[in-house]
Each structure stands twice: as structure tokens, then as C-alpha cells.
Amino acid sequence: MHHFTYQNDILHCEDVSVADIADAIGTPVYVYSHATLTRHFHAFDSAFDGVERLVCYSAKANTSLGVLKTLCDQGAGLDIVSGGELFKGLKAGFRPDTIVYSGVGKRIDEIDFALNSDILMFNIESREELDVLQERAKTLGKTARIAIRVNPDVDPKTHPHISTGLKKNKFGIDIESAMETYAAASRMDHVAIVGVDCHIGSQITQVHPFEEALQSLIELIDRLKAMGIDIRYLDMGGGLGITYRDEQPPHPTEYAAAIRKALSGRKLCMVFEPGRVLVGNAGILVTRVLYRKHAPSKEFVIVDAGMNDLLRPVLYGAFHDIRPVVRHADPDEMVADVVGPICESGDFLAQMRSMPAVVRGDLLVVMSAGAYGFTMSSNYCSRLRAAEVLVTGDRYAVIRERETFEDLIRKESIPDA
Ligand code: LLP
């Protein structure tokens, strides 16, 4: 459930007209709903009532400070994958002891930053990374709390680019090697084993893959216990899907029921790293129609948002619903490609889409754009990255100003001849 609804045929985010935002701020602009963010967080978090847990929002889905702060205020922890995300998370107010750090390629400067910040735990993805962490912790006089990210070889039945828990993926360590890596970690004097971790993929629309992964992790925890290694945190990663079109992902309560059942009373602190399920349907991308073009074989709607603003359609063939900001009774229907201004045929937001006919100047919104929208945007073709707005009730705030031409060259210089 989100808070983007038509009121008098004008799309509103909560109680603010999206048309008013577009007129005041310009387009393209990402618009997020505070009420939706908080509702999604509590729906997820409260599904686990009675289970000791830490819900660490996965920053990569949307790293805008305004969004981070909103979730932090609700009691979320943070899942990070880079020093930049740690920096932004700390700026937004997340407590270090609620931050978990995953990723196959942590650099030394990033490891040092996280050690010095005293984060809750590092999710280790290779034996070499563990050795480096021990060495850095020793150098800095710290103890690194770790979980090993296990690759349980589970098929999450999602897009191949966003599957992460299969043997062929670069993520995590297979279970048998993980046992050896835990044994090695237990002998390291600047490493404290605290958890077991996995993340099997994203946009998962069934409970079964999670159950399968959890079963493997529980077996691993039992084997570790037999070796004298006690595990406190079981990190299930993120991955719960959302509805973009007609997907029917499990509700968090269904997901939670499966987890409770598999835990069967074990005393573990569960960690979750949800991203998309919290922010995906809490954001839209608002764009204006620049031109209509009737080509011999197709209709094109050319808008001012491109693949640099929202990469998901071309990268994953992802479907995002497109709606008019102003709704008309009985509109003419058309079938069109909605495309951006970039010089690539992959620059589309929708292809062969049935939609109400639009004319130059109309506003459209791309729905479900709150996750992996702005964070995956770029300056390709020297386009300015979009503004971002956070709506709360009948008020809105610009949480990121639109970039300017000066921003495009801020870090550049021309060498002396
Ligand atoms: N934890 C880890 C270690 C992850 O790698 C990810 C996502 C998450 C948590 C959060 O997953 P979520 O709950 O959002 O599914 N750009 C793609 C998604 C890539 C996901 C990468 N990892 C997309 O636009 O669909």
C-alpha cells in the first residue's frame, strides 16, 4: 500500500499535488512519500514481533539522506556496501552498532573507516577478505565482529542479474568452505565471530527460496555450535519483492511466519536487510512529455527522463507502470514507446505500452521508482541528475536539488599545456 492516489483526477503524493511539485521544482523529479516509507518499515518490522531482530535498511536501494533519516527515525539499522554508504548512513544518524557491511570488494580504506566507526558486523565474502580484516583490525587495535556470508546455492527464481545465492555467483562462500573459514576466524585474535549471513537475490516473489536458504544456515549454525562457535546473529539479507505490475510477492507476515517456523524457538537475533520492499513503492519519477512522434512503425512519447534517470527498464527489462498526472475521463488510448532524450535505443522507460494518449507538455509518472532509481542514475550525456522531493502530509521538502551545469565540471580540470 502506498500513498499515491488521484484526488479530483490529479495524482497526489499524500496530500500534495504532483502537478504542483512538477511546476515548482521542474522535471524530472523523484517524489517520495514519508507515510509510505514509515508504513512499509513498520509492516516489515512488526511482522517479526516477538522475534529478537534488527531490520537494517539496505542503503543501496535509495541513499538519499532524507530517506535514510526517515527510516533511521523509525528504528531501522543500516546495511551498507561501501564507505560512501557508511558515510551517508552516519550523517543521517544511524548508530554504528546497527550497521552491517556486506560486499565482495571492501577496500582497505573502507575497512578502516568501518573499523574506526565500530560497526556491528562485517559480512565476510572471501577468505582473503577475512585475512585482510584481521590484519587491519590488529593494526588499528580493534576487534572486528564478523559474520560469514554463505552462498547456500539456492535459486531465488528472479532476474539473473539480481540472483546472488547461486553457486555460479560471485557472492558469499559455499557452506563447506565457510566451515573452514569459520575455523580460521576462530583462531584470529582481532576477529570475533558473531553471525552467519546470506543474501540470495532481489525481487523474490516466493517464500520457498528463503526457507531453503534459512534451513542451510540453521544447519550450519548447529555444526558451528558443535565446534564450540556460538552464533548470535542470523542475517537473512534482503530480497523480498514488490508489485510492479501483477507480481504477488509474499506479505512480510507470510515471510516472517516461514522464518519463525524454521527458527523453531532458537535463540538468535535475526538481522534483515530489506531495500526494495521498504522504498520501491514509496517513490515515483515525474517526467514531462517533450514531444510526440509518429514514426511509420511506432508511436513515440519522448519525455525528459531517460535511462540515465531510471536504468531498470533497459538493464533488467523491468516493467514500471506509467500514469498521467492529470487523469481524463474516457481518454483516447494509444500504444507507444516512452523514450528519453539519450542517444541510445535502450533509452526507454516503456515499450509498446498501452496508455492514455498524451500531448506535448503533459506530465507522466513512472511508478515504483523509489528503489534503485535515483541511486543508479548517472550523468550520461552530461544530463543533470534529477531533483528529489520528500512529501509529508500536505508539505513537501526538496531533499536534493537538481544538479546544475556547474556540478557537471566541479571535480574536473584541464591540464596545463
Ligand atoms: N543485502 C545485500 C547484501 C544486497 O546485495 C542487497 C541488494 C540487499 C540486501 C537488498 O535487496 P532488496 O531487499 O532491495 O531486494 N538494482 C537491482 C537490484 C540489485 C540488488 C542488489 N543487492 C534492481 O534494480 O532490481
Side-chain angles (χ1 to χ4, degrees):
M1 252 295 293
H2 58 69
H3 292 76
F4 297 96
T5 54
Y6 286 95
Q7 296 177 25
N8 297 323
D9 287 329
I10 296 179
L11 189 70
H12 280 62
C13 174
E14 304 188 22
D15 294 323
V16 179
S17 149
V18 171
D20 288 351
I21 294 175
D23 287 343
I25 310 299
T27 51
V29 56
Y30 277 94
V31 177
Y32 309 119
S33 154
H34 188 278
T36 311
L37 290 168
T38 55
R39 177 190 197 124
H40 287 176
F41 177 79
H42 291 296
F44 190 95
D45 184 54
S46 65
F48 294 94
D49 275 350
V51 175
E52 196 189 350
R53 67 196 178 275
L54 185 57
V55 177
C56 295
Y57 164 60
S58 191
K60 59 184 78 64
N62 189 321
T63 337
S64 297
L65 288 177
V67 171
L68 291 176
K69 172 80 165 58
T70 301
L71 292 168
C72 180
D73 286 348
Q74 305 309 309
L78 198 66
D79 159 49
I80 60 165
V81 73
S82 69
E85 287 185 351
L86 176 54
F87 173 77
K88 293 193 78 174
L90 294 173
K91 283 271 176 243
F94 286 93
R95 282 195 348 241
D97 64 356
T98 65
I99 298 179
V100 297
Y101 187 1
S102 311
V104 294
K106 303 178 185 81
R107 290 194 323 229
I108 285 184
D109 60 314
E110 294 176 307
I111 288 174
D112 287 0
F113 181 21
L115 281 170
N116 284 326
S117 305
D118 207 16
I119 64 164
L120 177 64
M121 82 189 172
F122 292 79
N123 289 337
I124 297 293
E125 305 228 15
S126 65
R127 175 60 205 264
E128 286 198 359
E129 181 193 334
L130 175 66
D131 292 341
V132 169
L133 184 61
Q134 150 71 13
E135 190 233 287
R136 294 313 305 164
K138 188 172 190 166
T139 305
L140 298 175
K142 304 271 180 193
T143 298
R145 282 173 294 275
I146 65 142
I148 290 179
R149 176 168 174 182
V150 170
N151 183 330
D153 196 23
V154 166
D155 184 357
K157 305 215 165 36
T158 183
H159 190 283
H161 289 185
I162 53 178
S163 296
T164 46
L166 283 167
K167 219 186 264 174
K168 65 178 181 190
N169 299 132
K170 70 178 175 181
F171 302 96
I173 302 181
D174 68 274
I175 300 250
E176 288 318 310
S177 311
M179 288 295 292
E180 290 163 26
T181 313
Y182 273 112
S186 70
R187 294 189 292 270
M188 294 179 174
D189 50 359
H190 286 266
V191 163
I193 298 169
V194 294
V196 167
D197 167 54
C198 75
H199 168 77
I200 56 173
S202 196
Q203 184 53 16
I204 299 172
T205 52
Q206 302 170 21
V207 170
H208 183 64
F210 292 113
E211 288 174 323
E212 226 184 291
L214 180 54
Q215 212 44 58
S216 303
L217 262 58
I218 285 177
E219 279 167 32
L220 174 63
I221 289 173
D222 290 346
R223 285 171 72 189
L224 290 171
K225 197 171 177 56
M227 279 165 61
I229 297 175
D230 269 327
I231 294 297
R232 162 138 177 75
Y233 297 100
L234 196 175
D235 183 343
M236 279 299 293
L240 198 56
I242 63 170
T243 302
Y244 286 97
R245 181 169 24 189
D246 49 14
E247 304 89 334
Q248 292 185 319
H251 187 273
T253 50
E254 251 178 275
Y255 172 62
I259 303 254
R260 273 174 215 276
K261 189 159 167 240
L263 282 176
S264 57
R266 281 185 173 73
K267 288 269 163 286
L268 290 160
C269 178
M270 294 300 296
V271 178
F272 300 98
E273 303 172 356
R276 188 188 321 260
V277 71
L278 301 187
V279 297
N281 278 321
I284 57 174
L285 173 61
V286 188
T287 182
R288 201 176 281 280
V289 177
L290 296 174
Y291 302 106
R292 281 285 306 271
K293 180 159 148 174
H294 317 278
S297 62
K298 256 191 187 173
E299 282 291 315
F300 290 101
V301 174
I302 302 164
V303 297
D304 65 2
M307 65 189 281
N308 74 298
D309 297 297
L310 184 66
L311 193 56
R312 304 194 71 257
V314 62
L315 194 56
Y316 313 114
F319 177 96
H320 285 261
D321 196 12
I322 296 188
R323 297 185 190 170
V325 169
V326 179
R327 190 169 64 174
H328 299 288
D330 295 325
D332 290 339
E333 287 287 318
M334 65 174 182
V335 175
D337 280 15
V338 181
V339 301
I342 285 178
C343 47
E344 294 215 29
S345 298
D347 181 26
F348 58 83
L349 299 175
Q351 287 182 304
M352 298 302 286
R353 183 66 59 84
S354 298
M355 56 190 285
V358 290
V359 297
R360 177 171 157 70
D362 281 355
L363 287 168
L364 291 174
V365 300
V366 184
M367 301 299 290
S368 314
Y372 309 106
F374 189 93
T375 47
M376 290 173 70
S377 69
S378 76
N379 289 119
Y380 186 35
C381 293
S382 289
R383 283 170 47 81
L384 307 177
R385 283 190 303 165
E388 296 182 288
V389 162
L390 180 63
V391 173
T392 311
D394 59 2
R395 288 174 298 117
Y396 70 86
V398 175
I399 56 170
R400 182 195 303 267
E401 288 178 26
R402 184 179 311 289
E403 286 180 343
T404 63
F405 289 152
E406 285 305 313
D407 291 325
L408 287 179
I409 56 168
R410 195 166 302 286
K411 293 280 186 187
E412 292 193 53
S413 54
I414 298 172
D416 296 338

